[in-house]
Amino acid sequence: MILENYQIDSHNNELLAKHQRKLTFVKDELANAEEIIQKLIDFQIGIPSWALGTGGTRFGRFSSGGEPRNIEEKIEDIGLLHKLNAASGTISLHIPWDTADNVPAIKALVAQHGLGFDAMNSNTFQDQANQAHSYKFGSLQHVNKAVRKQAIEHNIEVIRQGVELGSKALTVWLADGSCFPGQLNFRKAFQNTLESLQEIYAALPADWKVFVEYKAFEPNFYSTTVGDWGQSLLYASKLGPKAFTLVDLGHHLPNANIEQIVSLLLMEGKLGGFHFNDSKYGDDDLTAGSMKPYQLFLIFNELVEGMDARGMDHRKDLGWMIDASHNVKDPLEDLLQSVEAIMLAYAQALSVDRKALQQAQEENDVVRAQEILQQAFRTDLRPLVAEARLRAGAALAPLELFRNSKVRQELIKSRGLKTVATGL
């Protein structure tokens, strides 16, 4: 479905007067409001191809209909999101689910929607049709060298496809680990994985990065070979300057201090990017900001402070991606909500009085430091986020326009009610 400019203009005109009143109030409160708006305009979030369909659990899956059936329709859906919010400008593909048969046509379609490609994602956590060796007992860690070689070759093939499309990064997430004590030798599993990653690293183009993602548990429940940020940092450090840690917000044990992890990885120059989502219990893959909005703000507070301390470009020096599963929501509505929450947390972090906070920290004024952060978090900066969209030609209220335009109903008409997005 294509959303026309006149529809956005009509929508914005109806909301403009109310928006301007709110914006005037916020700008009176913030000295750097214009700077924040510009940074929001520049900031882009990568949309994962696998999140455009309905998610599910091992108990069931309930499709909302009209799901994208191929890579072309996935690109069209992300183009629609970007048209609505002007902040969903890149797509993160998962191979082999999203292998492109006609690369020039795919690149042309992406350009037509004003998109680009974010990190490519490999898949060695599932067995594919006609695959010679199974990943049941691991991939890059496997005791069988032939299985490791198969997984290495897959990752190198993902790099090749990414080069053709114009991507600049590879994300490696491994399900490798063990379910029971004694099942595998921890040291050998680490060493096998490192040697495998070294072969993949050697295949990276000079201007590429590799992100080593970690996860505390699942699908293996006794040990995970890349189970936390320390293990990921070990791999990234041993691999070389093009290797970085990727932080998925749901890939931590309960109550982990993710903002401290982010700060230290930035300090070491080894933070590569993010998979944004939210959780209550584990890797729930819920809408970003839906459960722990204050934590999301605190993470962005450390990101802004750490990136500015290193002179980093907020737009491009880290990978900003969503990784969510929409079990009971319309996937496109969920993604619109996630992008909004991420942009809001970013805006709030940009509004923190850095000089006052630093002074409070140096004076051990705990109360003052808390007040400074909570003042930024409790200030409603949604008008700044909306203004950034307006100036970029997008909708003041993307979710409202999505619903009023009956996007899902139109997608069901054109694609069908029983479609299933590839990869799920």
Side-chain angles (χ1 to χ4, degrees):
M1 177 180 174
I2 296 176
L3 197 64
E4 301 294 347
N5 289 336
Y6 77 86
Q7 294 173 277
I8 294 177
D9 292 340
S10 175
H11 161 84
N12 288 343
N13 287 337
E14 292 180 4
L15 302 178
L16 192 57
K18 183 177 181 181
H19 163 70
Q20 289 176 337
R21 289 195 298 271
K22 292 181 178 180
L23 179 65
T24 299
F25 177 80
V26 174
K27 292 179 75 172
D28 286 343
E29 296 291 311
L30 289 178
N32 65 334
E34 283 296 328
E35 178 186 350
I36 293 174
I37 292 170
Q38 187 57 54
K39 286 184 178 293
L40 289 169
I41 292 171
D42 295 337
F43 201 68
Q44 295 295 314
I45 308 297
I47 304 298
S49 63
W50 60 93
L52 296 163
T54 305
T57 71
R58 62 193 178 97
F59 296 103
R61 181 180 181 276
F62 306 95
S63 175
S64 56
E67 297 183 15
R69 298 162 292 185
N70 49 50
I71 184 174
E72 290 85 0
E73 291 182 351
K74 290 180 179 182
I75 293 168
E76 291 169 3
D77 282 2
I78 295 174
L80 176 61
L81 292 175
H82 191 49
K83 186 81 171 179
L84 285 163
N85 62 25
S88 306
T90 58
I91 177 173
S92 189
L93 297 181
H94 215 304
I95 307 300
W97 302 337
D98 302 313
T99 295
D101 296 325
N102 188 336
V103 171
I106 292 300
K107 292 176 72 173
L109 182 61
V110 165
Q112 175 187 328
H113 288 282
L115 304 174
F117 287 103
D118 213 304
M120 303 290 288
N121 298 263
S122 58
N123 183 339
T124 61
F125 53 86
Q126 290 178 330
D127 288 348
Q128 306 298 327
N130 303 316
Q131 185 174 302
H133 305 285
S134 175
Y135 295 132
K136 180 177 181 178
F137 297 110
S139 58
L140 299 184
Q141 77 167 23
H142 205 285
V143 294
N144 186 335
K145 188 173 182 178
V147 179
R148 300 199 300 273
K149 187 65 175 176
Q150 175 180 271
I152 292 166
E153 289 174 352
H154 167 69
N155 277 275
I156 293 174
E157 168 62 16
V158 174
I159 294 171
R160 185 196 67 78
Q161 293 188 33
V163 169
E164 286 189 336
L165 292 168
S167 176
K168 297 290 184 182
L170 168 71
T171 296
V172 179
W173 175 71
L174 301 174
D176 295 17
S178 63
C179 279
F180 298 98
Q183 181 180 330
L184 89 170
N185 182 293
F186 294 144
R187 288 185 298 103
K188 289 181 179 178
F190 184 95
Q191 290 163 352
N192 285 344
T193 303
L194 176 60
E195 290 173 5
S196 299
L197 286 171
Q198 285 170 333
E199 289 194 46
I200 296 166
Y201 185 88
L204 288 174
D207 58 347
W208 269 54
K209 299 176 181 178
V210 60
F211 301 144
V212 182
E213 190 172 354
Y214 60 89
K215 187 176 183 181
F217 66 94
E218 192 193 35
N220 284 287
F221 292 94
Y222 176 62
S223 72
T224 306
T225 299
V226 193
D228 58 34
W229 71 280
Q231 293 172 68
S232 173
L233 178 59
L234 267 178
Y235 284 117
S237 299
K238 290 176 181 293
L239 288 173
K242 293 185 288 186
F244 300 86
T245 291
L246 185 137
V247 176
D248 183 306
L249 299 189
H251 286 191
H252 303 83
L253 294 174
N255 301 316
N257 192 328
I258 302 174
E259 51 267 38
Q260 184 178 27
I261 294 170
V262 165
S263 176
L264 297 179
L265 286 171
L266 263 176
M267 181 181 70
E268 292 299 306
K270 280 297 184 181
L271 180 63
F274 276 86
H275 278 174
F276 288 104
N277 49 52
D278 212 338
S279 67
K280 176 69 174 177
Y281 301 106
D283 186 26
D284 304 341
D285 272 347
L286 300 176
T287 316
S290 63
M291 290 289 167
K292 304 169 186 173
Y294 191 51
Q295 181 188 59
L296 183 60
F297 158 72
L298 292 176
I299 289 168
F300 264 105
N301 177 60
E302 296 300 331
L303 284 168
V304 169
E305 192 278 335
M307 293 185 76
D308 287 349
R310 295 180 62 87
M312 297 171 69
D313 188 328
H314 294 192
R315 298 170 298 173
K316 61 183 182 179
D317 286 350
L318 293 181
W320 312 103
M321 294 162 280
I322 291 173
D323 183 8
S325 179
H326 328 288
N327 298 341
V328 295
K329 287 182 179 179
D330 181 304
L332 294 178
E333 291 189 349
D334 189 291
L335 288 165
L336 287 171
Q337 288 182 308
S338 281
V339 171
E340 174 82 5
I342 294 165
M343 300 298 280
L344 178 59
Y346 178 47
Q348 291 167 328
L350 290 169
S351 75
V352 171
D353 188 337
R354 295 285 157 199
K355 290 182 179 179
L357 181 59
Q358 182 178 357
Q359 182 179 353
Q361 291 168 341
E362 291 176 352
E363 295 174 357
N364 293 315
D365 190 339
V366 182
V367 170
R368 178 65 177 148
Q370 177 184 329
E371 288 297 309
I372 290 167
L373 287 183
Q374 290 189 342
Q375 171 64 26
F377 176 68
R378 289 168 175 165
T379 301
D380 186 0
L381 298 187
R382 287 177 295 177
L384 296 189
V385 179
E387 178 65 14
R389 285 195 297 268
L390 181 66
R391 295 185 189 183
L396 280 171
L399 183 57
E400 180 181 324
L401 180 55
F402 178 92
R403 289 195 162 191
N404 289 344
S405 302
K406 301 187 183 302
V407 172
R408 181 55 60 186
Q409 292 91 321
E410 292 300 319
L411 291 174
I412 290 172
K413 285 181 184 178
S414 62
R415 298 175 183 173
L417 184 61
K418 301 298 183 181
T419 59
V420 177
T422 54
L424 296 173

